[in-house]
Amino acid sequence: LLSEDEFFEHKDAIVEEVLAKLRGLAKLEAELLFTEADLYGESLPEVSQVISNAINAATDALSAALETLSEEDQDQLLPLFRAHLPQTLAELSFDRVHERVPQQYIKNAIASTLASKMVYKEGTRFINALPKTKLAETALRYIQKEKEVIQLMESLEKTSMSEDEKKKILELLDAGGARTALNIPDI
């Protein structure tokens, strides 16, 4: 995405951001690993394999589904790709993404980012319980519902109510809002 000169000019910031992303993902992986091992009484290596399989299954389903989406629908998912990049890299060059990054790479990054996000947020049992034929559709609806929940949370922030109540509602929305919203018919 960057020229060699641009990269070297911003290398220190980019490297720090990559390391921060890796630490964040490692933290999510560890939290899910220990939570599921504790909940289901399985060994850490077993749970690690289950996590990997769930992410791979969701990624594969999403990769196939992205091939069927219109270019406009695919562009709606570009924020996932942008979030995948180090912030400095995204700020400097995201406008060049279609010129410099193969479309298949973008699709694969979107698929794996969304798959990982869902597994780490909802757990492996959520992914594994979905019929394979509904996995991609559910994941795409999930990201839409997540956007709706974020809008609700932003609206809630502006309301006047006790800070304790507001904090509890925000935590509930963050913890299960997108998944719960999957089960609520659109009005």
Side-chain angles (χ1 to χ4, degrees), residues 143-159:
I143 198 65
Q144 182 58 43
K145 296 299 182 182
E146 188 179 61
K147 288 177 187 175
E148 292 173 18
V149 168
I150 289 168
Q151 288 175 339
L152 287 171
M153 292 172 73
E154 288 171 354
S155 294
L156 182 61
E157 285 283 0
K158 299 172 188 169
T159 63

Side-chain angles (χ1 to χ4, degrees), residues 115-136:
S116 297
K117 178 182 220 168
M118 284 182 60
V119 171
Y120 292 143
K121 180 83 173 185
E122 305 299 342
T124 61
R125 298 308 196 266
F126 175 70
I127 299 297
N128 294 336
L130 292 169
K132 299 279 185 233
T133 57
K134 296 286 186 185
L135 185 52

Side-chain angles (χ1 to χ4, degrees), residues 60-149:
D60 292 346
L62 282 162
S63 291
L66 290 176
E67 295 296 330
T68 67
L69 295 181
S70 70
E71 193 172 319
E72 182 181 317
D73 287 339
Q74 288 178 30
D75 284 346
Q76 294 291 316
L77 299 171
L78 279 176
L80 286 169
F81 181 71
R82 183 182 175 105
H84 165 77
L85 298 172
Q87 184 177 350
T88 300
L89 184 61
E91 289 171 358
L92 291 171
S93 61
F94 193 72
D95 60 332
R96 300 179 243 171
V97 72
H98 286 300
E99 299 164 20
R100 298 202 175 171
V101 179
Q103 188 62 29
Q104 192 59 50
Y105 181 89
I106 294 170
K107 288 178 189 176
N108 291 343
I110 289 169
S112 65
T113 299
L114 180 52
S116 297
K117 178 182 220 168
M118 284 182 60
V119 171
Y120 292 143
K121 180 83 173 185
E122 305 299 342
T124 61
R125 298 308 196 266
F126 175 70
I127 299 297
N128 294 336
L130 292 169
K132 299 279 185 233
T133 57
K134 296 286 186 185
L135 185 52
E137 175 192 334
T138 302
L140 293 170
R141 283 183 47 237
Y142 181 93
I143 198 65
Q144 182 58 43
K145 296 299 182 182
E146 188 179 61
K147 288 177 187 175
E148 292 173 18
V149 168

